[in-house]
PDB file of all heavy atoms in Angstrom:
ATOM      1  N   VAL A  29      26.264  13.495  -4.701  1.00 98.00           N
ATOM      2  CA  VAL A  29      25.473  14.468  -5.579  1.00 98.00           C
ATOM      3  C   VAL A  29      25.149  15.638  -4.706  1.00 98.00           C
ATOM      4  O   VAL A  29      24.629  15.561  -3.570  1.00 98.00           O
ATOM      5  CB  VAL A  29      24.229  13.802  -6.074  1.00 98.00           C
ATOM      6  CG1 VAL A  29      23.322  14.769  -6.844  1.00 98.00           C
ATOM      7  CG2 VAL A  29      24.601  12.546  -6.955  1.00 98.00           C
ATOM      8  N   TYR A  86       1.015 -12.923  16.634  1.00 96.00           N
ATOM      9  CA  TYR A  86       2.116 -13.480  15.797  1.00 96.00           C
ATOM     10  C   TYR A  86       3.287 -13.607  16.653  1.00 96.00           C
ATOM     11  O   TYR A  86       3.562 -12.709  17.483  1.00 96.00           O
ATOM     12  CB  TYR A  86       2.299 -12.632  14.530  1.00 96.00           C
ATOM     13  CG  TYR A  86       3.022 -13.333  13.437  1.00 96.00           C
ATOM     14  CD1 TYR A  86       2.470 -14.304  12.739  1.00 96.00           C
ATOM     15  CD2 TYR A  86       4.363 -12.911  13.185  1.00 96.00           C
ATOM     16  CE1 TYR A  86       3.140 -14.933  11.724  1.00 96.00           C
ATOM     17  CE2 TYR A  86       5.086 -13.579  12.150  1.00 96.00           C
ATOM     18  CZ  TYR A  86       4.509 -14.566  11.417  1.00 96.00           C
ATOM     19  OH  TYR A  86       5.228 -15.217  10.429  1.00 96.00           O
ATOM     20  N   GLY A 197     -14.753  -2.374   0.714  1.00 87.00           N
ATOM     21  CA  GLY A 197     -13.491  -2.193   0.059  1.00 87.00           C
ATOM     22  C   GLY A 197     -12.480  -1.404   0.889  1.00 87.00           C
ATOM     23  O   GLY A 197     -11.489  -0.873   0.300  1.00 87.00           O
ATOM     24  N   LEU A 321       2.200  -4.181  -6.771  1.00 95.00           N
ATOM     25  CA  LEU A 321       1.089  -3.223  -6.702  1.00 95.00           C
ATOM     26  C   LEU A 321      -0.126  -3.606  -7.492  1.00 95.00           C
ATOM     27  O   LEU A 321      -1.244  -3.324  -7.251  1.00 95.00           O
ATOM     28  CB  LEU A 321       1.598  -1.775  -6.917  1.00 95.00           C
ATOM     29  CG  LEU A 321       2.439  -1.211  -5.823  1.00 95.00           C
ATOM     30  CD1 LEU A 321       3.194   0.122  -6.257  1.00 95.00           C
ATOM     31  CD2 LEU A 321       1.611  -0.994  -4.548  1.00 95.00           C
ATOM     32  N   TRP A 333     -15.833  -6.592  -3.635  1.00 75.00           N
ATOM     33  CA  TRP A 333     -16.910  -7.503  -3.872  1.00 75.00           C
ATOM     34  C   TRP A 333     -17.404  -8.152  -2.551  1.00 75.00           C
ATOM     35  O   TRP A 333     -18.562  -8.201  -2.221  1.00 75.00           O
ATOM     36  CB  TRP A 333     -16.570  -8.551  -4.915  1.00 75.00           C
ATOM     37  CG  TRP A 333     -16.428  -8.081  -6.260  1.00 75.00           C
ATOM     38  CD1 TRP A 333     -16.974  -6.845  -6.853  1.00 75.00           C
ATOM     39  CD2 TRP A 333     -15.555  -8.649  -7.265  1.00 75.00           C
ATOM     40  NE1 TRP A 333     -16.506  -6.683  -8.061  1.00 75.00           N
ATOM     41  CE2 TRP A 333     -15.693  -7.762  -8.426  1.00 75.00           C
ATOM     42  CE3 TRP A 333     -14.787  -9.778  -7.364  1.00 75.00           C
ATOM     43  CZ2 TRP A 333     -15.049  -7.963  -9.600  1.00 75.00           C
ATOM     44  CZ3 TRP A 333     -14.165  -9.962  -8.582  1.00 75.00           C
ATOM     45  CH2 TRP A 333     -14.157  -9.132  -9.624  1.00 75.00           C
ATOM     46  N   ARG A 358       3.299 -12.413   7.377  1.00 93.00           N
ATOM     47  CA  ARG A 358       4.596 -12.607   6.643  1.00 93.00           C
ATOM     48  C   ARG A 358       4.794 -11.499   5.509  1.00 93.00           C
ATOM     49  O   ARG A 358       5.947 -11.208   5.239  1.00 93.00           O
ATOM     50  CB  ARG A 358       4.568 -14.128   6.096  1.00 93.00           C
ATOM     51  CG  ARG A 358       4.645 -15.118   7.243  1.00 93.00           C
ATOM     52  CD  ARG A 358       4.992 -16.463   6.669  1.00 93.00           C
ATOM     53  NE  ARG A 358       6.329 -16.530   6.092  1.00 93.00           N
ATOM     54  CZ  ARG A 358       6.697 -17.347   5.191  1.00 93.00           C
ATOM     55  NH1 ARG A 358       5.884 -18.131   4.638  1.00 93.00           N
ATOM     56  NH2 ARG A 358       7.922 -17.319   4.697  1.00 93.00           N
ATOM     57  N   TYR A 366       3.066 -10.068  -2.037  1.00 84.00           N
ATOM     58  CA  TYR A 366       1.705 -10.244  -2.550  1.00 84.00           C
ATOM     59  C   TYR A 366       1.706 -11.176  -3.860  1.00 84.00           C
ATOM     60  O   TYR A 366       0.872 -11.787  -4.137  1.00 84.00           O
ATOM     61  CB  TYR A 366       1.131  -8.897  -3.015  1.00 84.00           C
ATOM     62  CG  TYR A 366       0.524  -8.206  -1.826  1.00 84.00           C
ATOM     63  CD1 TYR A 366       1.025  -6.860  -1.538  1.00 84.00           C
ATOM     64  CD2 TYR A 366      -0.645  -8.599  -1.239  1.00 84.00           C
ATOM     65  CE1 TYR A 366       0.456  -6.084  -0.525  1.00 84.00           C
ATOM     66  CE2 TYR A 366      -1.199  -7.752  -0.189  1.00 84.00           C
ATOM     67  CZ  TYR A 366      -0.621  -6.582   0.136  1.00 84.00           C
ATOM     68  OH  TYR A 366      -1.211  -5.833   1.163  1.00 84.00           O
TER      69      TYR A 366
END
Side-chain angles (χ1 to χ4, degrees):
V29 173
Y86 196 72
L321 286 171
W333 291 335
R358 294 193 64 209
Y366 279 118

